[in-house]
Each structure stands twice: as C-alpha cells, then as structure tokens.
C-alpha cells in the first residue's frame, strides 16, 4: 500500500513527456532478457532531452566517468543472470543502469521514509551535478540517452529513454515505488503522484 505518498509529490522528470501507460514501461513488468523485474518507469524521449530532478535533495551518485561496456561483455553478464534466475545487484546497478544519477530526498517528502530517486541511461550529466551537490525540484540533472543498453554499446542513439525509479527505505526494509501492485492500482498511484 503506497497511500502514504502524497498527491503531486513528484515532478515529471522529462519535460513534455507524460508518464507512459504501457505496462511494459512501468514497475513490475517482467524483464526476461535479464531474468528480472522492472523497478521503474521508462520515459521514451528523444536522445539529448532534458532530465529534471523530481524533488529537492542531495546527489549521492553521479557517474560522470561512466565507460560503456561492449555488448559481448554485457551478454556474458546476462547469461550469468539467466543461470541464477535473477539480475544480481552489481550487474543491474553498475552495468545495466548505464550513466546514472541518484538523489537522496531524505525524510523530507514522507515522514519516517527515506526516498531516493534514480535517473538511468543518461547520455550526459549536467555540469556541477556531483556527489554532495544539493539540487532543487526541477533542476536539470542531465540528458536522456541509452547508456547501459545494447544500443548504447553499439554507439548509436536508438532506443533512447530515461529509466526512473523511486526507492523507499523504512524500518521494514526497501521497496520500489509500486512494487507488487496490480496494474490498475499502479496506474492510479502514478497518476496521483506526478
């Protein structure tokens, strides 16, 4: 139950791009290519489009020195994921995210719940967005890309999108926004939050 998240809590991270309705682009969608489950929202957007912070916070990760891996290496990791039947966190967060920024919103948005937003597959990170930087809601974080994807490894601009996640931490553990919700309830939640 995510009723504790306030209405209009988040700004849409890609200006002019509405939150998609296709279930395959939303949390909980199966990701068979990596033996896992999608934890975020994929915003299809033109390569180089602006990415904004959904809320104020502090940058806790900014992959300014990101180096794209080859598709051969990427595929070798995905085969290992298939063998164990899940996507290991090291592969998921350090290879498949590509160039990413993480923002810690602390407990400012929801009392007793620490929220962290993740912006992945970026083509570039804005100047000054480094670990420890305070950002405000609507501040430019960087640009949409396809880093960490097969197309990113090929060096083209195909399949550009922003992968956005909101992670919620509290005394009971960690979950992603919408985790486990049936599709209809998930879409109602997203309509309410953005």
């Amino acid at each position: 139950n995510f009723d504790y998240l306030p209405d209009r809590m988040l700004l849409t991270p890609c200006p002019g791009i509405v939150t998609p309705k296709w279930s395959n682009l939303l949390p909980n969608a199966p990701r068979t290519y990596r033996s896992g489950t999608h934890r975020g929202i994929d915003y299809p957007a033109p390569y180089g489009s602006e990415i904004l912070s959904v809320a104020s916070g502090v940058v806790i990760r900014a992959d300014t020195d990101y180096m794209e891996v080859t598709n051969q290496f990427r595929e070798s990791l995905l085969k290992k994921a298939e063998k164990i039947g899940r996507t290991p966190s090291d592969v998921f967060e350090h290879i498949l995210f590509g160039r990413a920024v993480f923002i810690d919103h602390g407990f400012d948005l929801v009392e007793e719940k620490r929220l962290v937003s993740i912006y992945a597959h970026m083509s570039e990170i804005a100047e000054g967005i480094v670990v420890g930087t305070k950002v405000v809601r609507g501040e430019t974080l960087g640009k949409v890309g396809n880093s960490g994807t097969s197309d990113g490894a090929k060096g083209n601009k195909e399949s550009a999108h922003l992968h956005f996640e909101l992670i919620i931490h509290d005394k009971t553990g960690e979950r992603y926004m919408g985790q486990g919700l049936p599709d209809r309830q998930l879409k109602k939640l997203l309509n309410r939050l953005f």
Side-chain angles (χ1 to χ4, degrees):
N1 183 330
F2 294 88
D3 291 345
Y4 55 82
L5 298 174
D7 291 358
R8 304 290 168 241
M9 179 180 78
L10 304 173
L11 182 69
T12 303
C14 293
I17 307 292
V18 297
T19 302
K21 303 293 183 216
W22 302 305
S23 298
N24 192 46
L25 301 178
L26 300 177
N28 305 315
R31 289 293 184 259
T32 54
Y33 76 91
R34 63 173 177 81
S35 304
T37 301
H38 198 232
R39 299 186 337 180
I41 302 168
D42 284 346
Y43 287 89
Y47 195 98
S49 299
E50 190 176 30
I51 298 170
L52 307 178
S53 175
V54 297
S56 298
V58 177
V59 177
I60 56 172
R61 174 175 161 183
D63 299 330
T64 53
D65 294 327
Y66 174 78
M67 299 279 293
E68 193 71 68
V69 300
T70 66
N71 268 327
Q72 183 178 7
F73 181 67
R74 189 174 179 278
E75 288 301 319
S76 73
L77 295 173
L78 294 176
K79 284 181 183 170
K80 291 175 186 174
E82 182 179 12
K83 191 166 187 162
I84 63 171
R86 63 179 180 80
T87 312
S89 60
D90 60 308
V91 172
F92 183 60
E93 292 186 10
H94 298 285
I95 303 295
L96 301 182
F97 270 178
R99 184 176 289 106
V101 169
F102 288 42
I103 298 176
D104 180 358
H105 305 286
F107 299 93
D108 295 339
L109 299 175
V110 179
E111 193 175 318
E112 297 190 25
K113 297 194 186 296
R114 175 182 178 243
L115 276 60
V116 174
S117 57
I118 299 171
Y119 311 77
H121 304 316
M122 299 171 78
S123 62
E124 64 182 74
I125 294 173
E127 190 175 329
I129 300 298
V130 295
V131 172
T133 302
K134 291 182 181 178
V135 296
V136 296
R137 178 183 171 106
E139 186 166 341
T140 300
L141 301 176
K143 297 187 176 179
V144 171
N146 61 8
S147 60
T149 69
S150 175
D151 282 311
K154 292 175 189 171
N156 64 42
K157 295 183 178 180
E158 301 296 313
S159 305
H161 67 282
L162 170 67
H163 173 85
F164 170 80
E165 289 185 23
L166 186 70
I167 304 299
I168 303 161
H169 301 263
D170 62 20
K171 290 179 180 179
T172 64
E174 175 181 311
R175 70 200 56 79
Y176 58 85
M177 176 182 61
Q179 184 171 349
L181 285 182
D183 195 56
R184 188 173 175 168
Q185 285 180 275
L186 174 64
K187 288 175 181 172
K188 281 179 75 172
L189 171 67
L190 298 179
N191 284 337
R192 192 171 62 72
L193 294 180
F194 290 96

